[in-house]
Amino acid sequence: MNVVFPGAFLDELKYTSLTGVKVTLINMPIREQAKPNNPPLGPALLAARLREYGAEPTIIDLNIYRVRDEDAAKRGLEHGRTLTFEEAGGLISRTLNKVGSQHVIGLSGLITTLKWQTEIARMIKAVDPDAMLVSGGGLATQFRTDLFGWIPELDAVAHSEGDDVILKIAHDAKAIRDLGFEKAHLAGRLSPFLQGVIGGKPRFFYHGGRTPDLDALPFPAYDLLFEDVDGFPVLETYLSVPVWGGSAKNSSATSFEMKRSISTISSRGCPFACKFCFRGAQGERNYGVRSAEDLADEFIDYQERYGVDFIGLLDDNFMVSPKRISQLADILEPLAASGQLRWGAHGRLDEAADLRPDRHGGYRMADTLRVDEMARAGCVYIGFGAESASSKVLEDMGKGGFMLSSGMEKINGFEFPRAMTQGMRNTINAEIHGNCTWIMGYPGETLGDLQTSIAFIKWQQELVTEGMTPNTLEYDTAFESINTSVFTATAYPGTEMFEHPKVRSILTETFGLRFDPESRKPVADENFRTYVLELNDATKMITNNDGRPLNYSDISDDQFVEVRTMLDDRELDKVLSI
C-alpha cells in the first residue's frame, strides 16, 4: 500500500477551513501510584494546531484526578486513585453538554491505556454517536488497524505524529457532517485515508508524518487546561507538582526542589535503537530537533505566563547536537546567570563524557563539554537512561556502541564503561544533577551483571558525597539524590526485546500468544489483548497464573524475586553480598 502523509493536503487548507469544527481530545490516566505531574503535551499540541485553522478544541484530561477515599487507602495509593469509569463518564458527559456535539473526539494514550480507551469509546458512542471517534498516540501507533477489532466503536485510527494529520481528520469529519458520508465519499473529499465500509460503518486509517518545520508549530494550548467543566484547576494542579524529584514519586530523583514546573519537548524521534524501547508515538527513528531560538522562546513564555521555576524536557535525546546546546547557552546565559531560569533534560552518559580517542591510543575530552554549555544555559538536571553498567547487558540491549567505545574503568572491584564514569564526573563538575535509571531482568542478564549495576549506584553515592561529613544535611541530601529504583524489564510489543526467543517462549507459555510465521508479529487475538491489558509502566512485575514473575534473565525465578524484594526495600548491600 502506498503511504500518503497528511502534509500533502495542507496546501488545500486555509486558516479558516476548519471554522466551527469542534474537536474534543481526551487524555487517559496513567501511573495511578504517582501524582500527575506532566500536563498532556500531545493533546495540547494538537489543540493549538487545530486553532490555527479555526477549529474549536476542548481537552478532557482524565489523568489529573487523584481521589482520596477508602478504596484508595485499601489499595495503598497514598496520593489517591484515578477516576472510576463511571466518574470519568460523568465528567465527559458534563463537558460535552457544555461544549455541544463534536465533529471529532480523539482518544490519546500510551500502550498501557487499552482498557481505558475501550471503556471510554463505549461511553462516547452513547453520548455523542455522530462524532468521528479516533484513537491516536502510542496505543494507536503500535496496534494500528488491529485496534478496530479490540475497540469496535472506533471510526478511525491515526498513527505516529499528529500535528498535520489532525487537520485532515477534522477536515474529513466536517465533510461528513456537511455533506453526509456518501456525498463526501463520491466527491473525493475523504481520500485517501478511508479504508472502506467495514462492519457497516466507514473506517479510516490515518498516516501521521513529520511536519516540515517543528519551529513553525504553535506552543501547546495549555490554556485549555485552565479548569475543567466543574471548575477543578487542572493546569494549576499540574504546575504545583514537581516534574521530577522525590515528591513526584518517580525514578527521577533530584538534589533540589521545584515549586512550580512544566514540561515540553525539544526533539522528535530517536536516532538510537535500544532494543527495549518503542519510539513509535513520537516520531519513530526519524529524528528531528527544534532550534535553540524556538526552545528559548518557549522557556521564557512559560516563565512569564505561568511563573514556573523549572522546565523539564521530556524527550530522551536533548544532548545529540553540541551546536544547538551552545546556541541555547548564548541566548539564555543572562537569565541563567541571574538565577531566573532552571531547566532539565535527558541525554546519554557518553554524550556527557565527551571522550575522543587520542593519537596515543587513549582518550581525551572535547575542548568544550556539552554539560558545561548546558550549565551555562541554566540546566541543573540531566536524566541518563543508563539501564545497566554491565558491558555485556549494554551490548544485548543495543546500547553498547558509543557507550563502550572508550573502554572500561575498574572501580571498587567492578568494571564500568568509562563513558559512564566520566560522564557522571563531568556532570557533577558542571554542577548539574545527573540521575540514572536502571533496568533488571533483561534477557541474558546474570546476577553478576545486575550486581555491577548496583555497584555503580553505590559508587554514585560515594561520588556525590565525596568530602562531605556523614550524617549532615548536606551529606544526606546528596546521598538521597541518587536514584536507587530499578525497573523490571518489560516486553512491550513493537520492541526488539519482544522478538527475543526467550521472551516469546515465556509469553507463549504464560499468555498463549501466537506469532505469524511470516511477519513474526503477534496474532491480535484475545490472548494478546489480555497481555496488553496487563502492561503498565516498568515498575510493575508481571506474573503468570502461579504468581511467578515473567523473568527473562538468566537469574533463577526464586533469586529474581529475592533480589527484586531487596531492591524494593532499597537494600543494595544485600544484593551485592549474595
Side-chain angles (χ1 to χ4, degrees), residues 440 446-448 450-451 548 551 554-566 578:
M440 68 173 288
T446 65
L447 177 61
L450 177 57
Q451 288 173 323
R548 307 294 289 177
N551 166 28
D554 285 352
I555 305 171
S556 70
D557 284 353
D558 287 339
Q559 194 165 67
F560 188 85
V561 173
E562 178 187 16
V563 171
R564 179 71 266 177
T565 301
M566 291 175 182
I578 297 176

Side-chain angles (χ1 to χ4, degrees), residues 29 60 62 83-94 116 120 123:
I60 300 175
L62 300 179
L83 298 179
T84 64
F85 293 135
E86 183 179 359
E87 290 167 342
L91 176 67
I92 292 169
S93 294
R94 294 192 297 276
W116 268 97
I120 296 301
M123 298 175 189

Side-chain angles (χ1 to χ4, degrees), residues 92-111:
I92 292 169
S93 294
R94 294 192 297 276
T95 303
L96 295 181
N97 284 338
K98 178 180 179 180
V99 300
S101 179
Q102 301 292 291
H103 291 76
V104 177
I105 296 180
L107 310 181
S108 176
L110 302 172
I111 190 175

Side-chain angles (χ1 to χ4, degrees), residues 244 264 266 299 310-319 324 328 343-348 374 379-384 432-435:
W244 296 314
T264 187
S266 74
F299 282 10
F310 185 85
I311 298 167
L313 295 175
L314 302 180
D315 49 305
D316 291 337
N317 294 291
F318 171 81
M319 298 175 68
R324 185 177 64 148
L328 189 64
W343 57 276
H346 291 88
R348 291 167 57 102
M374 290 171 71
C379 178
V380 295
Y381 174 97
I382 304 175
F384 298 111
I432 295 174
H433 176 74
N435 180 78

Side-chain angles (χ1 to χ4, degrees), residues 15-51:
Y15 282 108
T16 57
S17 292
L18 301 180
T19 298
V21 176
K22 295 185 177 183
V23 180
T24 290
L25 305 169
I26 304 178
N27 185 51
M28 302 296 144
I30 58 171
R31 300 190 69 242
E32 187 177 36
Q33 71 275 19
K35 292 181 180 179
N37 62 337
N38 289 303
L41 178 60
L45 285 168
L46 299 188
R49 190 73 162 132
L50 285 162
R51 287 202 299 204

Side-chain angles (χ1 to χ4, degrees), residues 234-364:
V234 176
L235 182 60
E236 183 59 32
T237 303
Y238 274 119
L239 294 174
S240 63
V241 178
V243 172
W244 296 314
S247 58
K249 296 298 180 182
N250 54 34
S251 61
S252 302
T254 64
S255 57
F256 56 89
E257 297 294 328
M258 55 191 80
K259 294 182 179 178
R260 293 177 64 79
S261 58
I262 200 167
S263 53
T264 187
I265 57 173
S266 74
S267 66
R268 304 279 185 93
C270 180
F272 304 106
C274 301
K275 295 180 182 180
F276 53 82
C277 182
F278 176 65
R279 301 299 300 162
Q282 208 174 81
E284 280 103 329
R285 304 299 176 198
N286 179 20
Y287 184 62
V289 301
R290 297 169 57 195
S291 71
E293 293 79 9
D294 193 45
L295 271 178
D297 286 345
E298 187 175 14
F299 282 10
I300 294 169
D301 179 69
Y302 289 160
Q303 189 179 48
E304 294 176 349
R305 186 188 303 265
Y306 303 124
V308 297
D309 61 3
F310 185 85
I311 298 167
L313 295 175
L314 302 180
D315 49 305
D316 291 337
N317 294 291
F318 171 81
M319 298 175 68
V320 168
S321 171
K323 180 180 179 181
R324 185 177 64 148
I325 294 172
S326 293
Q327 290 171 338
L328 189 64
D330 291 341
I331 300 171
L332 295 179
E333 185 174 16
L335 282 174
S338 65
Q340 298 179 54
L341 180 68
R342 300 186 307 165
W343 57 276
H346 291 88
R348 291 167 57 102
L349 279 165
D350 59 282
E351 295 164 337
D354 262 329
L355 292 172
R356 309 285 188 272
D358 63 25
R359 67 182 65 182
H360 306 294
Y363 305 93
R364 63 173 183 81

